[in-house]
Amino acid sequence: MREGLCHSDGTMTDRSDFLEAAGAILGPRGFTRDAELMAPWLTDWRGRFTGRALALASPATTEEVSALVRLCAAHRVPIVPQGGNSGMCGGATPDDTGEAILLSLRRMDAIRSLDASERKVVCEAGVILQSLHDAAAREGVRFPLTLGGKGSATVGGLIATNAGGTQVLRHGSMRAQVLGLEAVLADGSVFSSLTPLKKDNRGFDLKQLLIGSEGTLGIVTAATLRLVPAVAVRAVLWAGIASLEAARALLLHCEDAAGEALEGFEVLSQETLGDVISHLPSARPPLGDAHPWHALIELVADRASAERLPELAETLLTGALERGLLEDATIAANETQAEQFWALRDAIAPAERARGPAVQHDISVAVERMPSFVEEAVPLVERSWPGTHAVAFGHLGDGNVHFHVIAPPGADPLAWQAGDGKKISAQVYELVTRWGGSISAEHGIGQLKREEFARLGDPVALAMLRAVKQALDPQSLLNPGKLVPLAPMHDNP
Amino acid sequence: MREGLCHSDGTMTDRSDFLEAAGAILGPRGFTRDAELMAPWLTDWRGRFTGRALALASPATTEEVSALVRLCAAHRVPIVPQGGNSGMCGGATPDDTGEAILLSLRRMDAIRSLDASERKVVCEAGVILQSLHDAAAREGVRFPLTLGGKGSATVGGLIATNAGGTQVLRHGSMRAQVLGLEAVLADGSVFSSLTPLKKDNRGFDLKQLLIGSEGTLGIVTAATLRLVPAVAVRAVLWAGIASLEAARALLLHCEDAAGEALEGFEVLSQETLGDVISHLPSARPPLGDAHPWHALIELVADRASAERLPELAETLLTGALERGLLEDATIAANETQAEQFWALRDAIAPAERARGPAVQHDISVAVERMPSFVEEAVPLVERSWPGTHAVAFGHLGDGNVHFHVIAPPGADPLAWQAGDGKKISAQVYELVTRWGGSISAEHGIGQLKREEFARLGDPVALAMLRAVKQALDPQSLLNPGKLVPLAPMHDNP
């Protein structure tokens, strides 16, 4: 009996022809239907989404990706591209129809070239972020984007989701690192702009469309990325601050005083710091007294300006004290203490998790509005949902705060998250939308936030997204069901 | 007798209804068909293109633009948006059918808000660049993009063409300055993202589509732009260099040594310098001896780092001398001398014009390939066209060189430009395309380069441009005939 693929319009395609042809293109190492081999990639790393796939395709070259996509287009087989499978929104997990192939880019992991003096690297989509960091470090330069999942996240996935991280303040998100791009489009054609031109005004910039498109417009196969000088020395500062408003003023002061040396500016409240200290047995608060808010500030310098950094850090703090922008501050005396300061920041998420089940929101508003947003949102949520505890911390310099709401003591985790938790999220997203902010600052939309995006997104922007998607992927084969409900009929069932 | 609009499909629309409704939307100050009032805007400033228009519309608000575009969409009246009418490629000049309305944004010239501490300004599309500079300066900050046409160029036009200028090396082109955007789309709907979010991952970044789209996808009505600290002091250096290759090495040295202080790096040959000196009676060469190439380097500092700049400039030059990157160098002793150095650079274009008729090319290749490109292109062109003289100068740091080819002595200007000149341009564009470069680094495509773009552009990129255009402007009413021949049938007549 031959297997068949049912399309939504009722027609049926024979898929044994497709499978045979795909296997011929990719060879045994590049194509499998073995359930055991496929299983690890059919559930996202947080275990929130599980899907099924027709097959797992692992092409080794751009030409193989192109040939495969051409074949999929002819047979109308949907494609779910996947990098490290460490996204936050289920954007790389297929649906449960089993109609799509899972297209892993992990075998395409070559660094094609790295030129330290020209400060750029050409690498394939499957290169893991940590490998890129290592390769850059070996040549005395650095790739200026990092995040928690660096051991699994791939260059292709980082581009498809326009990933952020802890260095956005100075270096920008992934979009700012992409100098050139190669991608396979829905018809199998290859868009290539790997040779970076600093100036090129032949129409609107097509690579910008692919960055952040979550695999819905094309499959990134390679990129040219920028590199920056290696960090020679850093100064890590901890400041106690009277309010978030003061923290914002302190940030502006740091930008004025330190300019490009300012690489990180993270904020947390006294209460959050308390949670962290309780959670980490050996941790001590950096400052003697309590302060309503705390800021962790990192300044870095390359070799050329290393000598000047300690003085810069001192001047910065003295100026801030004189202007009344902080209550107390200290500079890490050595690299060990600097690591201890960062360990406090990195322990916020586990410390909050230890307090109980929570719903988490990766949201942003305009940088200067973040203090007033937090001041409104925290009591509003806590008042609306008695017993909950709202926590805001994170990248004040990017207007991006991780906003966690912890369940009332004793709540059943699963029931609370599916019930009140969901309603709380809806409230938070409505609030941030009213403030002109984003319901997804860093993590993307994927399938996790697709419905909320459809509900709360600007209708004009949604119509533009749909029109561009329809234009570039008329059969809707690229990562269907992700990012935005594309057919308007889905909005009005 | 009622007037009629003929469509390409043979149907006819009554346009008196349209004109009456448009007049009602815009009022007498905002709508005219007076030939004398329209005339100045129907020819581009260089006098290369002249068109006709049904009327000149000058809306005063985004709402008026929206209502007008909605009306145009209903009556299928094409729209040619125009800012300062100082573009280089005829992108704001209507065709000669007289069917389109000319939509001037010049009345929308309000600076809605300017926040020096938050470093951003919200301004309407018609704000003239010089006015923006002045407004920023009054608040002690600066808008970091400038160019020759700053007295006429508008914010909307700068965004629509992704304008460059002399500060791209450090600050990037217009794309890098746009934090938020408001635009009217082809159906009259208003896309608005004026509240800048530093992090926002709700799908691909739609505003990137409008930047550089030359009015073919939407009409920019307002923008939020970034500001930077004012320049407190600058150091202007002049260096004599053995080769363009050495100039490239010197540029990398400057980037290492000066980092963000490096704001300009312009190159010219000894021969070009000679032309300039002959052209400017009072000018003197900055260095005593002749050198094959010269570089004009500008370092700037804001108040916070002003003190350090003179030492930085000295260290930079000492280091470059030690490494053999330059043959001789001098630092402008004062602001007068700094102006004299820049006057030499600014006189290149008039000096070359004085030598005779020329064809000019605004091209780019990858920054590191520019030296070898110039070394190949100059003798190739001069050999192919005996008696011509090829000159390359400009923004080495951006990989963008202005490549001028001067006619043989005694050539008839018009006949030569239309004949050999055109063939030379085709050759230059073919060459730069083979080098993976761009036939338009800064100026855009407009109508001037549309056919060459269609001939030499990557077919995959052209297909993407066409698909997006068709999706967002299905009636092809926005700036028809600009940027790219959109209907494939135009390619194969």
Side-chain angles (χ1 to χ4, degrees), chain A residues 14-339:
Chain A
D14 187 317
R15 66 180 177 184
S16 56
D17 285 356
F18 167 77
L19 292 168
E20 200 176 303
I25 289 168
L26 299 171
R29 287 194 61 201
F31 196 74
T32 183
R33 303 190 68 201
D34 184 313
E36 205 174 315
L37 292 175
M38 284 164 63
W41 312 109
L42 293 172
T43 296
D44 78 303
W45 73 283
R46 299 207 295 185
R48 293 191 176 199
F49 300 95
T50 296
R52 291 170 57 228
L54 184 58
L56 171 63
S58 308
T61 64
T62 303
E63 293 67 35
E64 287 184 5
V65 177
S66 168
L68 179 69
V69 173
R70 210 174 290 275
L71 183 73
C72 287
H75 289 262
R76 298 168 68 185
V77 174
I79 301 163
V80 178
Q82 190 179 81
N85 194 25
S86 47
M88 303 293 278
C89 298
T93 309
D95 63 21
D96 56 9
T97 61
E99 286 182 6
I101 58 158
L102 187 61
L103 174 54
S104 166
L105 280 302
R106 280 179 297 273
R107 274 181 77 206
M108 290 184 60
D109 64 352
I111 292 181
R112 292 187 189 166
S113 65
L114 190 156
D115 188 332
S117 69
E118 294 296 338
R119 305 258 168 80
K120 62 189 181 191
V121 55
V122 182
C123 52
E124 293 181 345
V127 170
I128 288 170
L129 181 54
Q130 183 64 59
S131 312
L132 177 56
H133 285 166
D134 295 346
R138 280 194 299 273
E139 301 291 327
V141 286
R142 106 181 131 119
F143 178 65
L145 183 141
T146 192
L147 39 71
K150 63 185 171 184
S152 59
T154 60
V155 164
L158 293 165
I159 293 172
T161 58
N162 185 29
T166 52
Q167 297 172 348
V168 174
L169 179 64
R170 176 178 177 194
H171 297 288
S173 64
M174 198 64 188
R175 185 180 303 282
Q177 321 311 328
V178 178
L179 304 176
L181 209 60
E182 179 190 86
V184 173
L185 306 181
D187 62 357
S189 62
V190 180
F191 169 76
S192 181
S193 70
L194 284 179
T195 306
L197 299 174
K198 219 175 150 183
K199 282 185 180 169
D200 181 15
N201 273 342
R202 290 172 295 173
F204 39 97
D205 187 355
L206 293 166
K207 72 174 179 296
Q208 303 293 344
L209 272 180
L210 294 158
I211 301 168
S213 68
E214 302 188 7
T216 62
L217 301 183
I219 299 157
V220 173
T221 49
T224 306
L225 304 172
R226 79 181 180 112
L227 301 169
V228 300
V231 171
V233 57
R234 66 172 176 172
V236 178
L237 288 60
W238 192 282
I241 309 160
S243 68
L244 255 192
E245 204 59 67
R248 173 68 191 144
L250 178 60
L251 171 59
L252 287 173
H253 172 79
C254 290
E255 287 177 346
D256 277 343
E260 299 295 318
L262 179 66
E263 184 134 336
F265 193 103
E266 304 280 315
V267 292
L268 62 163
S269 69
Q270 176 67 39
E271 188 182 5
T272 302
L273 180 61
D275 290 345
V276 169
I277 300 289
S278 321
H279 184 68
L280 295 178
S282 63
R284 297 164 53 91
L287 301 174
D289 296 323
H291 303 275
W293 285 87
H294 295 261
L296 173 59
I297 305 165
E298 177 155 314
L299 309 180
V300 305
D302 58 16
R303 213 155 36 85
S305 48
E307 222 172 286
R308 209 177 129 244
L309 195 70
E311 191 197 324
L312 180 69
E314 287 286 356
T315 314
L316 183 150
L317 282 191
T318 313
L321 267 169
E322 278 167 11
R323 292 179 55 195
L325 301 175
L326 49 81
E327 300 182 339
D328 191 11
T330 182
I331 303 178
N334 48 45
E335 196 47 34
T336 309
Q337 202 176 11
E339 288 293 340

Side-chain angles (χ1 to χ4, degrees), chain B residues 39-63:
Chain B
W41 312 109
L42 293 173
T43 295
D44 77 303
W45 72 284
R46 299 208 295 184
R48 293 191 177 197
F49 300 96
T50 296
R52 291 169 57 227
L54 184 58
L56 171 64
S58 308
T61 64
T62 302
E63 293 68 32

